[in-house]
Every structure is written in structure tokens, then in C-alpha cells.
């Protein structure tokens, strides 16, 4: 302890409690130790007891109460389910037996025996449900009644085979189905009217007879129509009348089984009847046949409208009203198809569909269905007009293979260069305008109104676009109408989604117009110049500025190419003219405040620059000049604070221009390509390290050094001369020394690696000679020594680990 430490200082550094307080502390510690010792002794005694009990044999343990039985198996089928399966199987087996008896064993009995057996069995089976119902066995009565109904069918077949052998098959089937339907309906009604049936549990009547009677009732009218020699019209009318009967039953009968069967039958026969009537209308060759088919469709419409009027659910009413309206329009369309010229068939049908809007009356669900049918008709008319619009839009693409081939005869020829015009498409503009007017005037809902207006705008545009080709107007008129459509779509009155839609349509129109103008040189120059001016003015007036500005620059690029081609310049010279567009785009982007417009203008300018590069690619000297000019434009853009990162692209363009120029001079030395990149890169890296001393040497110097060292090393590896390896080795040595001197990892690693590889390359022949001169036992001996050294090192590491573990153990 230093002698200068005083007693006062020691008194403040170490604390010694008074004797009384220290005595209390020691007594407390001793009491805690005694309590802990008592716990450990108790635990020790318990463990000894457990060990002794484990050694002694355990006495037998008798159960104080009998074991509980395991869970009983649950039945997998309910009693009603088993009952129904048994009854169903029994009825099926009895029906099969009756069929076999009727078809196979019938001939073994005489006429009296046959009548007696059939009558007795049928009456017995049909009467059995009466007794069963009185006893409350309704399920069994259902099975027996079903067997009885099947027996009546067999009775009818047997009567035809024995008694009515000379009767016509269709006529007999019609009469038999009529009789069976009436008999089964009466049978079900009689069972429901039994005395005391109201006291039966569940339903008061059997379920099978009435639905079975309704199913058989689908046949009589159709079979009678066929038996009486009716044609397709008569049979279809019978089917539709059957549909009306089914619909009435479905709407009026309260029993669920009968109502479900009636619905299924109504939809089935109704679909059959409407489909057949539609095919008859399409196949009608004259007004008379078309009128008869239309009468069938009108009958179907009346039936569907009646169902819609009394339907219990709004969804069903809407669907039936839609079906009724469509059937009516289809009938009238069939008549119009054979009565008016082909060009006016679709407009006439469209007029019928639009008239439905005025005829929408009745409940809300019915009106909704009629309006939906009108929408379907209008949509069908628009779909019919789509091919003509598609040819108008896509057909002019073929002019790319026939540039300046000469003016076509008319506007239709201008759009059908390698395509064909759809038949009966003269009235396509009228159809599109009519639907557009309906959408603009009829749709009033606040939610659907904006969408309807956008759709109306699109249809109006399509009508204007297709009008010259549909009417075969002159070629110049076919250019003038789309040319006026473009500025009309860029009106300032539109806002929001409508304005964006109009801008897109204007751009699409301009594309089609430019393609059609490729037919002649003057038209091409005039149209491209006009489009450039129109979109430039629209961008200046703030009408969809991002789209308008980009379109103006795009059409200016096309105009520059067209002017160069018209002047007879080579593509390399035209590329210099195209570079005016990127210059204008860069100057314009620097003055814009809207970020979206700025991006679109810059992207369009970049695309124009790529076009210029593509035009100059065949002439390396001019390509180098174009790349240099592009680099100047990009460097000017990089001056802006928000576009600093574009400077990398400018550097890349300058480097690429230098490489193209060197390639044009047929320079083959890789250093001529790499050193112009390495020197500026190292200067930039040095500036980076001066401003930020913490910057890594790999970031500052790595890219610049690698650009020259790696290509030179690859070339030196296959070079037979000594100049490049010597210079490269000297450079590697210099970099290694500099890296060592300034403690920079990138120069040290790259320089050392290059120096080692160059040295290895130069000494490789001598190493091969030395290897050939060595005895064969030297390589295995060297490998063995290496393995022994590795093993010794591994053992030393294990011994060090053991020592560390022992030290840690002693510390613990």
C-alpha cells in the first residue's frame, strides 16, 4: 500500500460494521444453514424409503369395483334409412319380376288367365296402400304405390301386344300416356281423400303419384302432334304448350315434390322449345316460314312473361322477363332477316332491342329483366361490329411492307391491304352511334353514369374511325376524318377517367392514321408533321400533358426519319437528324415541374436516342459520333441535382464511343480500350478518398484497376512476346509497392495477384522442365510431407484445446 494513503482515506474506502450488527448477521446466516440442512435430511430419508419399497415385492392389488365396460359401437345407419333402402330394393325387385313375367312368361297363359292375373295383381297392388295408410305405414305405402304405377305401364304395354296389335305405335303411346297421366293423378287424389287421412303423421298424401303423373304428362301433346302428322312447327308448339302447363303447375301447386318436378320439366321443355323455334327461325327461307317461327318465339315469350308476372322470387321474375324479351326480339329478328336487305338486319334487331327500353312496364323485377334483355341485344350488335373496327385498326399495319407504294383507290382499300372487309358492315357506324346515344341518355344511376359515358365516348370514336372504310370514302377523306378526331379527343372539357380514355384513344387513332399515311410520301410527311404539332399544342395547353408530350416527341422522331428518307440521306446521316429529338427532350425536361411528365419526356428522348444509334450502327465512325453526342446530352441531363445518377450512363456512352472509334481505326491492343477508362476512374477514386478517407480502396480504385489489369492479363497469358508481360509485371510490382506503402488493400491484392500470375506464366516452361527432371518418387514424397505437416498442426490444435478446457475446469 502506498505510504501516502492516510487513515482517513482508508476509513472512507472500506466499511467495517459495528460488533452488534455483525453478530446479528452471523446468527441469521447460521439459522438459514440449519434450515437448509433440515430440508436436505428430510429429502434423504424420503429417498431411502422409496429405494427400500422398490426392492421389496409389491403385494397383490385387488380391484375394489368391477371394471367399466368399454364404449359400445355406434350404429352407422339410422332406422329410417335402413327402412327406406329395404322398401326401395323391394319395390325394384318386384318391378323387375313383373317385367320379366310380362315380357317372358306372358305367352304361357291364355287370354282369360292373362287378364285375370294382370287385373288381380294391379288392383291388389294399387289397393294395398289404402290399408297401409290407415295403419300409418306411409313409407311402405309409397313403395307399394310405386310398384303399382309401374304395373300400370306394363299393363298398357301388354294391352298393346295382345288387344291393340293393329294400332299405330305413336298413336297408342299418345293415348296410353294420356290415360296413365290421368289415372295416376286421380289415384293420388283418391289416396289423399281417404277418410281419416288427415290424422296420419306427416303428409296427408303419398308423394309419388302426382309427380309421376306430371312427368308422364310431358308426353301426350308431343306424341299427339307427331301422331297427327304435325311437322316441326306443330311439335314445337306442343312442347311450348306443355311448358305452359308445367309453369302453371309450378306456380299454383303448393306441394313441394310436385312443384320441383314441374320446375324441372318447365325448364327442360321450355329450353327445348325455344332452341327448336330459334333454329326454325334461322332456317326460314321466306317471310311465311319466318313468321310461323316468330309466332312460336312469341308464344315462348308470353309464357315466360306470365311466369315473370306471378313468380314468387324477384330473381326468377327478372330471369323470366329477360327470356321473354329476348324471345320476342329473336322472333322479330327472324322476320326482319328475310324481309330487309342484309346490311340492315342488325340495325333492325338493334332497333327492337332499344325499343324494349320504352316497353319496360310492370313490377321492378320485370322491368329490370327487360332492361337486361335490351342490354344483351345492344351488346350483341356491338360485338357484331367489332370485326370491322378491328380491320380498320390493324389492317393498315400491312403498309409497313409497302411504304410509299402509291395511293389506294379509297379508304376501305387503305385498311384492307392484306385483309378482307366483313360482309354487311356498311351500317357499322350507325350501330355504334345508336348504342352510344342510348348509353349517354338512358343510364342515369350515379354509379353507372360515368362508366356509361366512357363507353359512349369509345363507341363514338369507333364509329368515326370506321366510317370512311364502311362508306368507301376517298383516300384523302379517310385521312382527314381520323386527323380531325385526334384533336377532338383532346378537348379540355373532359376530366378524370374520361380524359385518360380520350388521350389513349387519340394516341391509338394517331397510330392508325400514320400507318395509313405510309401509302404515299406527301401523306406521310404531312400526317407526321400534323401529329407532332397537334400533340405539342395539346401538351402546351395542359391537355393530358404526359401522354401528349411523349406522343409529340415520338412523332417528331418519326418525322425526322421520314424527312431523311425523303431527302435520300443514308441512315447514318438521318441518325444525326434524329438526335434533335433527345436534345429537345432534355431541354424540355429541365423546365417541367410535373414529375410524371418529366419521366415520360425523358423516356421518349431515350428511345429516340436508341433509334439514332440503331440507324448509325452500320457506319462505325458515325456511330462513335452519335454515341458521343448522346453522351453529351446525358451529361447535360446529369447537371440537374435530381439526375446525378445519370452521369454513369454518360460515362458509359463516352467510353463506348471511344471503343467504337478505336475499332474503326482497327486498333487491336486492349490497353487502348481500357486505359482511357482506368485513368479517369483512378482520378475519381482519388478524389473520393480525399473527400471521404473512410471509403474502401475497393470502391475507389478497384473498378479502375480491374478494367485494365484483367483484360491485359488475359491477353498476356496467350502473348508470345515479352513486352506486354514485362510491362504488366512492372505495373503489378508498382501497385504492390504502393499498396504496401499506403496500406491499401485493393492495389496490394490486385497488383500482387497480377505479378504472381505473370511470373507463373513466364516461368511455366522452366517449371515443366524441372518437373520432367525430377524422379518419380519426389511428388509422392512431397505429398506425404504435406500430410504429415497438416497432421502435426491438427494435433497441436487439439492439444491447445485440451489445455484451454483444463484451465477452464480449474477456474470453475
Amino acid at each position: 500500500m502506498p505510504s501516502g494513503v492516510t487513515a482517513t482515506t482508508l476509513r472512507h474506502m472500506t466499511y467495517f460494521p459495528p460488533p452488534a450488527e455483525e453478530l446479528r448477521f452471523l446468527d441469521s446466516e447460521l439459522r438459514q444453514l440449519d434450515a437448509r440442512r433440515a430440508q436436505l435430511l428430510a429429502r434423504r430419508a424420503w429417498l431411502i424409503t422409496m429405494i427400500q419399497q422398490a426392492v421389496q415385492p409389491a403385494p397383490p392389488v385387488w380391484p375394489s369395483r368391477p371394471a367399466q365396460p368399454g364404449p359400445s359401437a355406434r350404429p352407422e345407419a339410422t332406422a329410417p334409412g335402413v327402412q327406406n333402402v329395404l322398401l326401395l330394393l323391394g319395390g325394384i325387385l318386384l318391378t323387375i319380376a313383373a317385367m320379366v313375367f310380362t315380357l317372358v312368361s306372358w305367352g304361357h297363359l291364355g287370354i282369360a288367365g292373362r287378364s285375370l292375373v294382370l287385373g288381380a295383381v294391379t288392383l291388389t297392388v294399387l289397393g294395398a296402400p289404402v290399408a297401409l295408410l290407415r295403419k300409418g305405414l306411409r313409407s311402405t305405402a309409397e313403395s307399394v304405390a310405386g310398384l303399382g304405377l309401374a304395373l300400370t305401364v306394363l299393363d298398357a304395354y301388354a294391352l298393346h301386344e295382345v288387344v291393340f296389335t293393329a294400332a299405330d305405335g305413336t298413336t297408342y303411346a299418345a293415348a296410353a300416356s294420356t290415360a296413365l297421366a290421368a289415372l295416376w293423378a286421380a289415384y293420388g287424389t283418391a289416396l289423399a281423400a281417404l277418410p281419416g287421412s288427415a290424422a296420419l303423421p306427416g303428409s296427408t298424401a303419398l308423394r309419388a303419384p302426382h309427380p309421376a303423373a306430371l312427368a308422364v304428362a310431358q308426353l301426350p301433346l308431343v306424341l299427339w302432334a307427331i301422331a297427327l302428322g304435325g311437322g316441326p312447327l306443330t311439335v314445337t308448339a306442343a312442347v311450348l304448350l306443355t311448358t305452359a302447363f308445367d309453369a302453371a303447375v309450378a306456380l299454383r301447386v303448393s306441394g313441394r315434390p310436385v312443384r320441383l318436378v314441374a320446375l324441372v320439366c318447365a325448364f327442360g321443355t321450355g329450353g327445348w322449345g325455344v332452341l327448336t323455334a330459334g333454329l326454325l327461325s334461322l332456317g326460314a327461307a321466306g317471310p311465311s316460314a319466318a313468321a310461323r317461327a316468330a309466332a312460336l318465339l312469341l308464344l315462348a315469350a308470353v309464357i315466360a312473361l306470365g311466369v315473370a308476372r306471378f313468380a314468387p322470387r324477384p330473381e326468377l321474375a327478372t330471369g323470366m322477363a329477360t327470356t321473354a324479351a329476348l324471345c320476342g326480339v329473336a322472333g322479330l329478328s327472324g322476320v326482319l332477316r328475310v324481309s330487309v336487305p342484309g346490311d340492315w338486319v342488325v340495325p333492325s334487331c338493334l332497333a327492337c332491342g332499344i325499343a324494349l327500353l320504352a316497353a319496360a312496364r310492370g313490377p321492378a323485377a320485370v322491368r329490370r329483366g327487360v332492361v337486361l334483355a335490351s342490354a344483351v341485344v345492344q351488346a350483341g350488335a356491338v360485338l357484331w361490329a367489332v370485326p370491322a373496327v378491328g380491320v380498320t385498326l390493324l389492317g393498315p399495319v400491312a403498309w409497313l411492307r409497302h411504304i410509299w407504294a402509291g395511293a389506294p383507290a379509297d379508304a376501305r382499300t387503305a385498311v384492307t391491304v392484306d385483309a378482307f372487309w366483313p360482309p354487311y358492315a356498311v351500317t357499322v357506324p350507325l350501330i355504334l352511334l345508336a348504342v352510344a346515344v342510348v348509353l349517354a341518355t338512358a343510364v342515369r344511376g350515379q354509379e353507372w353514369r360515368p362508366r356509361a359515358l366512357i363507353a359512349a365516348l369509345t363507341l363514338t370514336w369507333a364509329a368515326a374511325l370506321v366510317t370512311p372504310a364502311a362508306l368507301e370514302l376517298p383516300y384523302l377523306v379517310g385521312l382527314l376524318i381520323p386527323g380531325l378526331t385526334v384533336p377532338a379527343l383532346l378537348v379540355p372539357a373532359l376530366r378524370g377517367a374520361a380524359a385518360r380514355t380520350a388521350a389513349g384513344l387519340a394516341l391509338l387513332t394517331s397510330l392508325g392514321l400514320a400507318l395509313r399515311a405510309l401509302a404515299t410520301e406527301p401523306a406521310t410527311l404531312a400526317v407526321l408533321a400534323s401529329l407532332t404539332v397537334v400533340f405539342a399544342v395539346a401538351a402546351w395547353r395542359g391537355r393530358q400533358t404526359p401522354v401528349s408530350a411523349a406522343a409529340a416527341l415520338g412523332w417528331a422522331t418519326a418525322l425526322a426519319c421520314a424527312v431523311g428518307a425523303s431527302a435520300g440521306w443514308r441512315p447514318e446521316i438521318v441518325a444525326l437528324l434524329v438526335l434533335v429529338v433527345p436534345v429537345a427532350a432534355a431541354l424540355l425536361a429541365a423546365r417541367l415541374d410535373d414529375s410524371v411528365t418529366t419521366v415520360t419526356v425523358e423516356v421518349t428522348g431515350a428511345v429516340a436516342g436508341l433509334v439514332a444509334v440503331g440507324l448509325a450502327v452500320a457506319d462505325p465512325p458515325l456511330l462513335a459520333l452519335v454515341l458521343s453526342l448522346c453522351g453529351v446530352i446525358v451529361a447535360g441531363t446529369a447537371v440537374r441535382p435530381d439526375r446525378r445518377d445519370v452521369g454513369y450512363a454518360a460515362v458509359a456512352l463516352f467510353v463506348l464511343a471511344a471503343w467504337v472509334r478505336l475499332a474503326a481505326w482497327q486498333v487491336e491492343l486492349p490497353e487502348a480500350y481500357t486505359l482511357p477508362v482506368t485513368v479517369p476512374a483512378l482520378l475519381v477514386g482519388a478524389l473520393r478518398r480525399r473527400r471521404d478517407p473512410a471509403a474502401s480502396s475497393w470502391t475507389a480504385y478497384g473498378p479502375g484497376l480491374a478494367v485494365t489489369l484483367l483484360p491485359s492479363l488475359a491477353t498476356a497469358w496467350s502473348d508470345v512476346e515479352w513486352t506486354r508481360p514485362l510491362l504488366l509485371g512492372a505495373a503489378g510490382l508498382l501497385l504492390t509497392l504502393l499498396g504496401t506503402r499506403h496500406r491499401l488493400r485493393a492495389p496490394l491484392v490486385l497488383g500482387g495477384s497480377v505479378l504472381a500470375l505473370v511470373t507463373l506464366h513466364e516461368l511455366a516452361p522452366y517449371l515443366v522442365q524441372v518437373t520432367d527432371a525430377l524422379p518419380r518418387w519426389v511428388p509422392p514424397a512431397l505429398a506425404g510431407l504435406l500430410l504429415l505437416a497438416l497432421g502435426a498442426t491438427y494435433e497441436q490444435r487439439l492439444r491447445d484445446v485440451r489445455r484451454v478446457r483444463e484451465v477452464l475446469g480449474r477456474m470453475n
Side-chain angles (χ1 to χ4, degrees):
M1 180 181 296
S3 59
V5 178
T6 62
T8 306
T9 304
L10 290 175
R11 188 180 305 112
H12 289 289
M13 291 177 61
T14 306
Y15 173 73
F16 294 98
E21 182 178 352
E22 185 176 2
L23 181 60
R24 286 194 300 271
F25 176 75
L26 291 178
D27 291 340
S28 176
E29 292 292 331
L30 289 174
R31 283 194 298 272
Q32 292 180 4
L33 290 176
D34 292 338
R36 181 61 177 166
R37 185 172 183 276
Q39 293 177 358
L40 294 176
L41 289 175
R43 179 66 178 174
R44 181 176 181 278
W46 182 82
L47 291 174
I48 293 174
T49 304
M50 294 299 297
I51 294 174
Q52 292 177 354
Q53 291 179 357
V55 173
Q56 296 177 359
V61 179
W62 301 97
S64 57
R65 57 180 179 178
Q68 296 291 334
S72 59
R74 298 180 60 185
E76 297 181 356
T78 61
V82 174
Q83 166 192 307
N84 293 332
V85 170
L86 293 177
L87 293 175
L88 179 62
L89 289 177
I92 292 174
L93 292 177
L94 289 175
T95 303
I96 294 174
M99 291 175 62
V100 172
F101 172 78
T102 304
L103 298 176
V104 178
S105 302
W106 184 263
H108 299 290
L109 298 177
I111 296 177
R114 299 171 187 174
S115 302
L116 182 61
V117 171
L118 278 177
V121 172
T122 304
L123 291 176
T124 302
V125 173
L126 291 176
V130 177
L132 294 174
L133 284 175
R134 289 177 177 174
K135 293 182 178 181
L137 303 175
R138 195 172 67 86
S139 298
T140 306
E142 290 278 3
S143 299
V144 176
L147 175 61
L149 299 180
L151 287 177
T152 56
V153 178
L154 295 177
D155 290 341
Y157 170 75
L159 288 175
H160 179 266
E161 292 296 324
V162 175
V163 180
F164 303 103
T165 55
D168 178 64
T170 306
T171 305
Y172 183 80
S177 60
T178 305
L180 288 176
L183 177 62
W184 291 359
Y187 179 65
T189 304
L191 290 179
L194 287 176
S197 60
L200 296 176
S203 178
T204 58
L206 295 182
R207 298 176 182 176
H210 284 148
L214 183 59
V216 175
Q218 309 304 307
L219 302 176
L221 285 178
V222 178
L223 292 177
W224 280 117
I226 296 174
L228 296 176
L233 292 171
T234 306
V235 174
T236 305
V239 172
L240 291 176
L241 291 176
T242 305
T243 303
F245 170 73
D246 295 333
V249 172
L251 293 174
R252 295 301 180 183
V253 176
S254 60
R256 181 179 178 82
V258 178
R259 189 169 64 250
L260 290 177
V261 174
L263 283 174
V264 172
C265 293
F267 281 110
T269 56
W272 176 18
V274 171
L275 179 60
T276 306
L279 294 176
L280 291 174
S281 179
L282 289 176
S288 178
R292 289 192 292 269
L296 293 177
L297 289 172
L298 290 177
L299 175 61
V302 171
I303 295 171
L305 191 60
V307 174
R309 180 64 180 82
F310 298 100
R313 294 185 179 181
E315 298 83 3
L316 181 60
T318 301
M320 289 295 99
T322 304
T323 304
L326 291 177
C327 288
V329 173
L332 294 177
S333 301
V335 176
L336 293 172
R337 184 180 61 84
V338 296
S339 303
V340 299
D343 292 330
W344 294 95
V345 173
V346 177
S348 302
C349 299
L350 178 61
C352 297
I354 295 175
L356 290 176
L357 296 176
R361 296 292 186 270
V366 176
R367 294 198 305 270
R368 192 181 307 115
V370 175
V371 171
L372 181 59
S374 176
V376 170
V377 174
Q378 296 179 58
V382 173
L383 288 178
W384 180 83
V386 165
V389 179
V391 172
T392 305
L393 285 175
L394 302 178
V397 176
W399 283 110
L400 293 174
R401 296 186 298 175
H402 309 283
I403 296 178
W404 296 349
D410 50 39
R412 181 177 296 183
T413 308
V415 300
T416 57
V417 183
D418 294 333
F420 66 94
W421 187 252
Y424 306 118
V426 176
T427 55
V428 166
L430 177 61
I431 293 172
L432 296 174
L433 285 176
V435 177
V437 170
V438 171
L439 288 174
T441 57
V443 179
R444 295 297 182 184
Q446 188 173 2
E447 179 182 0
W448 291 96
R449 178 69 176 173
R451 304 177 187 178
L453 291 177
I454 293 175
L457 174 64
T458 305
L459 292 176
T460 305
W461 162 80
L465 190 69
V466 80
T467 296
L471 301 180
E472 296 184 272
L473 299 178
Y475 173 67
L476 292 179
V477 178
L479 295 179
L480 181 61
I481 292 179
L484 295 176
T485 303
V486 173
L489 288 170
L490 298 174
V491 294
L494 299 177
R495 294 291 184 270
R500 292 191 294 270
T501 303
L505 295 177
L507 193 60
L508 190 59
T509 306
S510 65
L511 182 60
L513 176 61
L515 290 174
R516 272 176 275 184
L518 293 176
T520 62
E521 180 180 345
T524 301
L525 296 176
V527 166
L528 292 179
S530 301
L531 291 176
T532 303
V533 172
V534 167
F535 280 103
V537 172
W540 179 59
R541 297 293 297 272
R543 303 175 184 178
Q544 293 299 310
T545 306
V547 177
S548 301
L553 293 174
W555 292 126
T557 304
L559 178 62
C561 296
V563 169
S566 177
W569 296 345
R570 292 183 295 115
E572 300 82 12
I573 305 300
V574 177
L576 298 176
L577 181 61
V578 172
L579 284 179
V580 176
V581 177
V583 173
L587 295 176
L588 181 61
R591 300 175 60 87
L592 293 175
D593 297 331
D594 185 13
S595 60
V596 177
T597 306
T598 302
V599 171
T600 57
V601 168
E602 290 175 344
V603 170
T604 309
V607 172
L610 291 177
V611 172
V613 172
L615 291 173
V617 74
D619 191 344
L622 275 177
L623 178 60
L625 177 60
V626 170
L627 289 173
S628 300
L629 294 176
C630 290
V632 172
I633 297 171
V634 175
T637 304
V639 175
R640 293 160 48 193
D642 57 338
R643 292 292 185 268
R644 297 296 189 190
D645 295 338
V646 184
Y648 297 106
V651 173
L653 287 171
F654 285 130
V655 171
L656 188 59
W659 287 354
V660 172
R661 172 54 66 180
L662 292 174
W665 287 339
Q666 297 182 354
V667 176
E668 298 180 355
L669 295 177
E671 290 77 12
Y673 295 88
T674 58
L675 285 176
V677 180
T678 296
V679 174
L682 292 179
L683 293 177
V684 173
L687 293 176
R688 171 75 181 277
R689 289 272 298 177
R690 177 173 295 182
R691 293 180 180 179
D692 185 12
S696 172
S697 62
W698 286 107
T699 304
Y701 305 118
L705 294 175
V707 167
T708 293
L709 292 178
L710 297 181
S712 298
L713 181 62
T715 306
W717 199 261
S718 59
D719 194 356
V720 296
E721 300 293 336
W722 59 272
T723 307
R724 179 177 283 107
L726 178 60
L727 295 176
L728 187 60
L733 178 61
L734 178 61
L735 288 175
T736 304
L737 295 176
L738 290 175
T740 305
R741 172 68 179 81
H742 298 283
R743 296 182 181 180
L744 298 176
R745 186 175 300 175
L748 180 62
V749 173
L750 290 176
S753 301
V754 170
L755 180 61
L757 291 174
V758 171
T759 304
L760 178 63
H761 175 263
E762 294 300 317
L763 296 179
Y766 304 101
L767 293 177
V768 172
Q769 294 177 3
V770 171
T771 304
D772 293 338
L774 289 176
R776 297 295 180 90
W777 56 269
V778 173
L782 292 177
L785 291 175
L786 177 62
L787 293 176
L788 288 177
L790 291 176
T793 304
Y794 186 69
E795 184 180 5
Q796 180 67 28
R797 297 293 180 268
L798 289 178
R799 186 170 57 187
D800 294 342
V801 170
R802 293 193 193 98
R803 289 178 179 177
V804 171
R805 186 174 60 187
E806 291 175 357
V807 171
L808 292 176
R810 288 196 299 269
M811 291 175 64
N812 190 25

